[in-house]
Amino acid sequence: MAKAKAKSSAAKSPASSAGKVPIKGGTRVAQESGSRSAPIINIGIDREDRAAIAEGLSRVLADTYTLYLTTHNFHWNVTGPHFNSLHAMFMQQYTELWGATDVLAERIRALGHYAPGSYAEFSKIATVPDVPQHPPKAMEMVRILVKGHETVSRIAREFIPVAQEAGDDPTADMLTARCTVHDQTAWMLRSLLED
């Protein structure tokens, strides 16, 4: 209990986790939710820390959704001798990513913020590039997805310390689990490109 108090008072200093969250392009998307009739959120995480964590989760959500859309696009448009295996693999991957978007968005809501959910918002904060306009060749699709999974993993890792410093173990654990999925998926995809 004393440890949590120490974290809470440290979080109020100028070097709090809220100040460590990079805002891509100066855009802040994690808007606080709530109303006068609802009780104030009291889950043991300071308001400023909840805002910083929601901001980080919003970026991970935007990247996850962008990667989901790219993977689904590739599932539809893959051609060539590896069609059957890649078509099936991409379906497994986009299904997993789709489920992850819901988990990320609901954690943002649990922290008292609105989850971004429009293309306009996602395009402002996503690091993963949008899907190419013209479908690339099958192995180029694989290369693009490797980079996408590695990008989401790196972005998620940026925010694990922010959550940990605020005492938000559920978010830290969730982001760690997301890194595991993205790292493994990148490895499996990369293996297809080896001689």
Side-chain angles (χ1 to χ4, degrees), residues 63-181:
D63 280 328
T64 301
Y65 191 89
T66 304
L67 185 58
Y68 152 76
L69 192 59
T70 300
T71 307
H72 208 151
N73 179 294
F74 290 172
H75 165 78
W76 292 327
N77 292 308
V78 67
T79 59
H82 302 290
F83 170 81
N84 283 333
S85 59
L86 290 177
H87 184 73
M89 178 188 283
F90 293 163
M91 185 166 90
Q92 288 176 330
Q93 291 172 2
Y94 79 67
T95 301
E96 193 284 328
L97 289 163
W98 178 252
T101 62
D102 202 49
V103 173
L104 290 161
E106 289 181 357
R107 185 62 190 160
I108 294 167
R109 296 295 293 131
L111 293 168
H113 290 263
Y114 289 112
S118 71
Y119 291 119
E121 289 175 300
F122 287 159
S123 68
K124 289 177 188 173
I125 60 173
T127 304
V128 172
D130 196 8
V131 65
Q133 272 192 314
H134 301 289
K137 298 288 186 187
M139 288 303 115
E140 183 57 25
M141 289 178 174
V142 171
R143 280 186 191 84
I144 290 168
L145 293 178
V146 168
K147 290 178 184 175
H149 281 281
E150 289 176 344
T151 298
V152 180
S153 186
R154 283 194 312 273
I155 297 300
R157 273 187 177 82
E158 284 182 35
F159 297 109
I160 293 172
V162 176
Q164 288 172 330
E165 288 174 24
D168 185 359
D169 294 335
T171 297
D173 291 347
M174 181 181 64
L175 291 174
T176 300
R178 293 306 312 149
C179 289
T180 301
V181 169

Side-chain angles (χ1 to χ4, degrees), residues 47-63:
R47 182 179 180 181
E48 297 82 13
D49 288 333
R50 285 189 290 107
I53 295 163
E55 193 70 33
L57 287 172
S58 295
R59 286 197 44 210
V60 176
L61 174 60
D63 280 328

